[in-house]
mmCIF file of all heavy atoms in Angstrom:
data_model
loop_
_atom_site.group_PDB
_atom_site.id
_atom_site.type_symbol
_atom_site.label_atom_id
_atom_site.label_comp_id
_atom_site.label_asym_id
_atom_site.label_seq_id
_atom_site.Cartn_x
_atom_site.Cartn_y
_atom_site.Cartn_z
ATOM 1 N N THR A 1653 181.669 143.419 97.242
ATOM 2 C CA THR A 1653 183.116 143.634 97.340
ATOM 3 C C THR A 1653 183.869 142.430 97.887
ATOM 4 O O THR A 1653 185.080 142.326 97.726
ATOM 5 C CB THR A 1653 183.416 144.836 98.248
ATOM 6 O OG1 THR A 1653 183.004 144.520 99.592
ATOM 7 C CG2 THR A 1653 182.702 146.076 97.751
ATOM 8 N N GLY A 1654 183.180 141.546 98.595
ATOM 9 C CA GLY A 1654 183.872 140.450 99.276
ATOM 10 C C GLY A 1654 184.484 140.902 100.580
ATOM 11 O O GLY A 1654 185.276 140.177 101.186
ATOM 12 N N GLU A 1655 184.116 142.114 101.011
ATOM 13 C CA GLU A 1655 184.650 142.653 102.256
ATOM 14 C C GLU A 1655 183.496 143.089 103.162
ATOM 15 O O GLU A 1655 182.465 143.569 102.686
ATOM 16 C CB GLU A 1655 185.562 143.847 101.970
ATOM 17 C CG GLU A 1655 186.756 143.492 101.100
ATOM 18 C CD GLU A 1655 187.549 144.716 100.678
ATOM 19 O OE1 GLU A 1655 187.105 145.856 101.010
ATOM 20 O OE2 GLU A 1655 188.588 144.555 100.025
ATOM 21 N N SER A 1656 183.695 142.912 104.465
ATOM 22 C CA SER A 1656 182.646 143.306 105.406
ATOM 23 C C SER A 1656 183.247 143.388 106.802
ATOM 24 O O SER A 1656 184.287 142.783 107.079
ATOM 25 C CB SER A 1656 181.500 142.290 105.383
ATOM 26 O OG SER A 1656 180.446 142.693 106.228
ATOM 27 N N ASP A 1657 182.597 144.102 107.703
ATOM 28 C CA ASP A 1657 183.035 144.220 109.087
ATOM 29 C C ASP A 1657 182.792 142.894 109.800
ATOM 30 O O ASP A 1657 181.647 142.438 109.903
ATOM 31 C CB ASP A 1657 182.250 145.343 109.773
ATOM 32 C CG ASP A 1657 182.678 145.566 111.220
ATOM 33 O OD1 ASP A 1657 183.537 144.812 111.719
ATOM 34 O OD2 ASP A 1657 182.125 146.484 111.852
ATOM 35 N N VAL A 1658 183.857 142.252 110.305
ATOM 36 C CA VAL A 1658 183.708 140.947 110.951
ATOM 37 C C VAL A 1658 182.817 141.014 112.182
ATOM 38 O O VAL A 1658 182.267 139.993 112.615
ATOM 39 C CB VAL A 1658 185.078 140.350 111.339
ATOM 40 C CG1 VAL A 1658 185.908 140.084 110.097
ATOM 41 C CG2 VAL A 1658 185.812 141.243 112.324
ATOM 42 N N GLU A 1659 182.648 142.197 112.751
ATOM 43 C CA GLU A 1659 181.827 142.302 113.954
ATOM 44 C C GLU A 1659 180.330 142.179 113.669
ATOM 45 O O GLU A 1659 179.525 142.116 114.601
ATOM 46 C CB GLU A 1659 182.121 143.620 114.679
ATOM 47 C CG GLU A 1659 183.544 143.719 115.212
ATOM 48 C CD GLU A 1659 183.954 142.540 116.098
ATOM 49 O OE1 GLU A 1659 183.097 142.015 116.844
ATOM 50 O OE2 GLU A 1659 185.134 142.124 116.023
ATOM 51 N N ASN A 1660 179.952 142.113 112.383
ATOM 52 C CA ASN A 1660 178.537 141.868 112.102
ATOM 53 C C ASN A 1660 178.213 140.373 112.037
ATOM 54 O O ASN A 1660 177.089 139.985 111.741
ATOM 55 C CB ASN A 1660 178.067 142.597 110.831
ATOM 56 C CG ASN A 1660 178.722 142.065 109.555
ATOM 57 O OD1 ASN A 1660 178.972 140.876 109.407
ATOM 58 N ND2 ASN A 1660 178.966 142.968 108.611
ATOM 59 N N ASN A 1661 179.209 139.523 112.344
ATOM 60 C CA ASN A 1661 178.954 138.086 112.494
ATOM 61 C C ASN A 1661 178.243 137.859 113.821
ATOM 62 O O ASN A 1661 178.766 138.233 114.887
ATOM 63 C CB ASN A 1661 180.261 137.291 112.491
ATOM 64 C CG ASN A 1661 180.964 137.242 111.142
ATOM 65 O OD1 ASN A 1661 181.873 136.460 110.960
ATOM 66 N ND2 ASN A 1661 180.571 138.090 110.205
ATOM 67 N N VAL A 1662 177.059 137.222 113.771
ATOM 68 C CA VAL A 1662 176.272 137.017 114.993
ATOM 69 C C VAL A 1662 175.958 135.535 115.172
ATOM 70 O O VAL A 1662 176.230 134.714 114.290
ATOM 71 C CB VAL A 1662 174.964 137.838 114.953
ATOM 72 C CG1 VAL A 1662 175.274 139.329 114.963
ATOM 73 C CG2 VAL A 1662 174.112 137.470 113.733
ATOM 74 N N VAL A 1663 175.401 135.204 116.318
ATOM 75 C CA VAL A 1663 175.012 133.823 116.606
ATOM 76 C C VAL A 1663 174.071 133.316 115.505
ATOM 77 O O VAL A 1663 173.159 134.028 115.076
ATOM 78 C CB VAL A 1663 174.317 133.731 117.980
ATOM 79 C CG1 VAL A 1663 173.772 132.317 118.219
ATOM 80 C CG2 VAL A 1663 175.280 134.139 119.088
ATOM 81 N N LEU A 1664 174.297 132.091 115.052
ATOM 82 C CA LEU A 1664 173.451 131.519 114.005
ATOM 83 C C LEU A 1664 171.986 131.566 114.420
ATOM 84 O O LEU A 1664 171.630 131.230 115.549
ATOM 85 C CB LEU A 1664 173.861 130.066 113.722
ATOM 86 C CG LEU A 1664 175.276 129.853 113.174
ATOM 87 C CD1 LEU A 1664 175.527 128.365 112.940
ATOM 88 C CD2 LEU A 1664 175.507 130.640 111.891
ATOM 89 N N GLY A 1665 171.144 131.995 113.483
ATOM 90 C CA GLY A 1665 169.717 132.054 113.751
ATOM 91 C C GLY A 1665 169.242 133.382 114.314
ATOM 92 O O GLY A 1665 168.029 133.593 114.447
ATOM 93 N N SER A 1666 170.192 134.273 114.645
ATOM 94 C CA SER A 1666 169.787 135.564 115.220
ATOM 95 C C SER A 1666 169.960 136.722 114.236
ATOM 96 O O SER A 1666 169.673 137.867 114.568
ATOM 97 C CB SER A 1666 170.599 135.862 116.494
ATOM 98 O OG SER A 1666 171.966 136.075 116.193
ATOM 99 N N GLY A 1667 170.439 136.418 113.035
ATOM 100 C CA GLY A 1667 170.694 137.472 112.059
ATOM 101 C C GLY A 1667 169.738 137.435 110.886
ATOM 102 O O GLY A 1667 168.620 136.919 110.982
ATOM 103 N N GLN A 1668 170.211 137.939 109.746
ATOM 104 C CA GLN A 1668 169.347 138.093 108.573
ATOM 105 C C GLN A 1668 169.470 136.948 107.576
ATOM 106 O O GLN A 1668 168.726 136.899 106.575
ATOM 107 C CB GLN A 1668 169.645 139.417 107.875
ATOM 108 C CG GLN A 1668 171.074 139.563 107.357
ATOM 109 C CD GLN A 1668 171.273 140.865 106.602
ATOM 110 O OE1 GLN A 1668 170.716 141.051 105.516
ATOM 111 N NE2 GLN A 1668 172.038 141.785 107.172
ATOM 112 N N VAL A 1669 170.375 135.980 107.825
ATOM 113 C CA VAL A 1669 170.544 134.851 106.908
ATOM 114 C C VAL A 1669 169.572 133.730 107.295
ATOM 115 O O VAL A 1669 169.396 133.432 108.481
ATOM 116 C CB VAL A 1669 171.998 134.328 106.939
ATOM 117 C CG1 VAL A 1669 172.157 133.174 105.955
ATOM 118 C CG2 VAL A 1669 172.974 135.462 106.588
ATOM 119 N N ASN A 1670 168.969 133.100 106.305
ATOM 120 C CA ASN A 1670 168.017 132.008 106.533
ATOM 121 C C ASN A 1670 168.771 130.720 106.856
ATOM 122 O O ASN A 1670 168.843 129.793 106.038
ATOM 123 C CB ASN A 1670 167.126 131.828 105.302
ATOM 124 C CG ASN A 1670 166.119 130.701 105.461
ATOM 125 O OD1 ASN A 1670 165.884 130.226 106.577
ATOM 126 N ND2 ASN A 1670 165.535 130.270 104.363
ATOM 127 N N ILE A 1671 169.347 130.654 108.056
ATOM 128 C CA ILE A 1671 170.171 129.506 108.442
ATOM 129 C C ILE A 1671 169.358 128.217 108.452
ATOM 130 O O ILE A 1671 169.804 127.175 107.939
ATOM 131 C CB ILE A 1671 170.821 129.733 109.827
ATOM 132 C CG1 ILE A 1671 171.735 130.969 109.793
ATOM 133 C CG2 ILE A 1671 171.621 128.491 110.246
ATOM 134 C CD1 ILE A 1671 172.923 130.866 108.867
ATOM 135 N N SER A 1672 168.174 128.239 109.035
ATOM 136 C CA SER A 1672 167.372 127.015 109.111
ATOM 137 C C SER A 1672 167.032 126.497 107.721
ATOM 138 O O SER A 1672 167.054 125.279 107.471
ATOM 139 C CB SER A 1672 166.093 127.260 109.911
ATOM 140 O OG SER A 1672 165.273 128.236 109.285
ATOM 141 N N GLY A 1673 166.737 127.410 106.801
ATOM 142 C CA GLY A 1673 166.404 127.001 105.443
ATOM 143 C C GLY A 1673 167.571 126.367 104.710
ATOM 144 O O GLY A 1673 167.418 125.335 104.053
ATOM 145 N N VAL A 1674 168.756 126.983 104.835
ATOM 146 C CA VAL A 1674 169.912 126.429 104.116
ATOM 147 C C VAL A 1674 170.363 125.113 104.734
ATOM 148 O O VAL A 1674 170.801 124.203 104.025
ATOM 149 C CB VAL A 1674 171.093 127.432 104.053
ATOM 150 C CG1 VAL A 1674 170.743 128.622 103.192
ATOM 151 C CG2 VAL A 1674 171.543 127.875 105.422
ATOM 152 N N VAL A 1675 170.263 124.973 106.056
ATOM 153 C CA VAL A 1675 170.639 123.704 106.698
ATOM 154 C C VAL A 1675 169.699 122.597 106.249
ATOM 155 O O VAL A 1675 170.130 121.479 105.937
ATOM 156 C CB VAL A 1675 170.636 123.837 108.234
ATOM 157 C CG1 VAL A 1675 170.759 122.470 108.893
ATOM 158 C CG2 VAL A 1675 171.782 124.737 108.693
ATOM 159 N N ALA A 1676 168.410 122.901 106.178
ATOM 160 C CA ALA A 1676 167.438 121.901 105.729
ATOM 161 C C ALA A 1676 167.726 121.482 104.288
ATOM 162 O O ALA A 1676 167.695 120.289 103.952
ATOM 163 C CB ALA A 1676 166.020 122.457 105.850
ATOM 164 N N GLU A 1677 168.033 122.440 103.433
ATOM 165 C CA GLU A 1677 168.326 122.121 102.035
ATOM 166 C C GLU A 1677 169.635 121.364 101.909
ATOM 167 O O GLU A 1677 169.751 120.432 101.094
ATOM 168 C CB GLU A 1677 168.380 123.408 101.211
ATOM 169 C CG GLU A 1677 168.339 123.197 99.707
ATOM 170 C CD GLU A 1677 167.039 122.591 99.218
ATOM 171 O OE1 GLU A 1677 165.986 122.809 99.869
ATOM 172 O OE2 GLU A 1677 167.077 121.895 98.168
#
Side-chain angles (χ1 to χ4, degrees):
T1653 66
E1655 299 173 356
S1656 183
D1657 182 357
V1658 296
E1659 296 306 325
N1660 66 36
N1661 290 193
V1662 295
V1663 174
L1664 297 180
S1666 67
Q1668 61 176 292
V1669 181
N1670 179 15
I1671 299 296
S1672 62
V1674 293
V1675 169
E1677 194 65 28

